[in-house]
Amino acid sequence: MSDQNVRNAGFASSGIRGGSLASSMMSQEARASGGGVHSGGPTSTLQEMGARGSTHSSGFTSSGISGGSLASQMMSQEARSHGGGTPRGGTTSTVQSI
């Protein structure tokens, strides 16, 4: 995942840009969870990367998730909490797709 993709999606150091993919994700996630965006979810994870201005060493790469990385830890935790699989639309798959 490149820094440019995260910025292009609307995750910036100054916050989520209105009218962007990021704002749409945030709105959809908030509606699905009853009004809030959960810490550790797709929106907050990507916004953290956007605020830092760097996705380097996160482990989300164009060729997949790097073993032993933050991304692999997220994927493993998410799979455990969903009975062994990583759900479509979950944190790991959403962040990896961007």
Side-chain angles (χ1 to χ4, degrees):
M1 170 174 43
S2 76
D3 297 339
Q4 189 62 45
N5 288 351
V6 172
R7 285 190 297 275
N8 288 346
F11 298 99
S13 59
S14 59
I16 292 176
R17 272 195 323 272
S20 66
L21 172 61
S23 67
S24 176
M25 280 179 62
M26 182 175 69
S27 176
Q28 184 178 20
E29 190 176 341
R31 281 194 307 273
S33 67
V37 176
H38 297 288
S39 176
T43 302
S44 64
T45 300
L46 285 163
Q47 180 52 39
E48 181 183 345
M49 291 176 185
R52 280 194 322 246
S54 177
T55 61
H56 297 264
S57 75
S58 65
F60 293 99
T61 72
S62 60
S63 59
I65 292 176
S66 300
S69 66
L70 170 63
S72 69
Q73 291 171 11
M74 287 174 62
M75 183 174 69
S76 178
Q77 181 180 16
E78 190 172 15
R80 281 193 306 274
S81 69
H82 287 91
T86 304
R88 184 176 200 177
T91 302
T92 304
S93 63
T94 301
V95 175
Q96 179 62 28
S97 71
I98 292 176

